[in-house]
C-alpha cells in the first residue's frame, strides 16, 4: 500500500465509522502534513444539525485548530468523495497543495447526494436562482469595507 493509499484508507474508515455511529452521511476526510495526520473529520450534518458539518469542513477546522493556522498550504487533503461545491470553496480558502478523493460526484448522486442543482445555481444570474438574493443596506455596509481597506494592522488572508 502506498503512502497516499494509507491516508485515503483512513479517510474511508472515518466515513464508515461515521455512518455506523449515525453521525451523518458516508463521507470522511483526513488532512496530512508530511507524514502526520493533523486533521480528521467525518460528516456530522445530522448528528449536529449543522448543514456545514461536511467531512472536509470538519477536517479543515480540526487541522487549523491543531496547527494554530488559518491556512493549510503545506498540507494534503484525502477525502472519501469528490468535494461538494461548499467543501470545494472551503478547500480553496484553506489552500492545501493537493486533494485526493475516492468516490466521485456521480457515485454520490447515485446514493442520494446529488449536488448538480448547486453547480447549476452557481452558473445562474442572481435573479434566476431558486433562492432569492436581495441586496440591502450596501451603502452602510461598504463603510466597513472601506475601513478594512485602510486598516494598518490587518492580517491578510
Amino acid at each position: 500500500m502506498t503512502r497516499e493509499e494509507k491516508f485515503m484508507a483512513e479517510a474511508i474508515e472515518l466515513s464508515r465509522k461515521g455512518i455506523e455511529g449515525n453521525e451523518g452521511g458516508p463521507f470522511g476526510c483526513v488532512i496530512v502534513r508530511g507524514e502526520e495526520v493533523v486533521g480528521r473529520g467525518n460528516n456530522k450534518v445530522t448528528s449536529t444539525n449543522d448543514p456545514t458539518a461536511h467531512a472536509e469542513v470538519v477536517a479543515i477546522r480540526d487541522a487549523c485548530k491543531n496547527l494554530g493556522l488559518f491556512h493549510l498550504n503545506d498540507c494534503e487533503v484525502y477525502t472519501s468523495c469528490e468535494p461538494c461545491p461548499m467543501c470545494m470553496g472551503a478547500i480553496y480558502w484553506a489552500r492545501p497543495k493537493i486533494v485526493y478523493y475516492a468516490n466521485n460526484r456521480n457515485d454520490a448522486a447515485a446514493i442520494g447526494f446529488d449536488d448538480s442543482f448547486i453547480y447549476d445555481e452557481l452558473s445562474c444570474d442572481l435573479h434566476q436562482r431558486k433562492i432569492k438574493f436581495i441586496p440591502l443596506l450596501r451603502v452602510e455596509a461598504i463603510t466597513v469595507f472601506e475601513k478594512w481597506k485602510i486598516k494598518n494592522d490587518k492580517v491578510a488572508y
Side-chain angles (χ1 to χ4, degrees), residues 28-66:
C29 181
V30 296
I31 311 244
V32 175
R33 183 166 74 171
E35 296 302 316
E36 178 185 5
V37 174
V38 295
R40 289 177 174 81
N42 61 279
N43 184 289
K44 296 180 183 223
V45 169
T46 58
S47 62
T48 62
N49 294 320
D50 179 355
T52 69
H54 289 200
E56 296 89 342
V57 172
V58 172
I60 288 168
R61 290 174 180 163
D62 188 44
C64 289
K65 179 187 69 151
N66 291 334

Side-chain angles (χ1 to χ4, degrees), residues 2-139:
T2 68
R3 171 189 178 279
E4 289 80 11
E5 290 170 337
K6 178 184 85 160
F7 290 126
M8 182 59 75
E10 185 168 346
I12 293 167
E13 179 64 10
L14 284 171
S15 72
R16 186 185 64 74
K17 286 182 177 178
I19 66 166
E20 288 176 354
N22 292 320
E23 294 182 305
F27 306 99
C29 181
V30 296
I31 311 244
V32 175
R33 183 166 74 171
E35 296 302 316
E36 178 185 5
V37 174
V38 295
R40 289 177 174 81
N42 61 279
N43 184 289
K44 296 180 183 223
V45 169
T46 58
S47 62
T48 62
N49 294 320
D50 179 355
T52 69
H54 289 200
E56 296 89 342
V57 172
V58 172
I60 288 168
R61 290 174 180 163
D62 188 44
C64 289
K65 179 187 69 151
N66 291 334
L67 295 173
L69 302 169
F70 57 81
H71 59 80
L72 301 171
N73 54 8
D74 59 347
C75 296
E76 303 166 8
V77 175
Y78 293 82
T79 181
S80 66
C81 188
E82 179 182 357
C84 75
M86 177 187 69
C87 293
M88 185 73 83
I91 287 166
Y92 271 90
W93 279 115
R95 298 181 181 99
K97 59 185 179 181
I98 194 164
V99 176
Y100 296 95
Y101 65 94
N103 294 319
N104 63 43
R105 70 174 79 172
N106 296 321
D107 300 326
I111 62 162
F113 295 93
D114 187 355
D115 297 325
S116 62
F117 76 98
I118 298 174
Y119 290 106
D120 293 343
E121 285 287 292
L122 291 173
S123 64
C124 286
D125 182 65
L126 283 175
H127 304 323
Q128 295 174 326
R129 291 184 178 166
K130 290 179 178 49
I131 297 175
K132 291 183 181 185
F133 283 73
I134 301 169
L136 189 63
L137 295 179
R138 182 177 177 271
V139 172

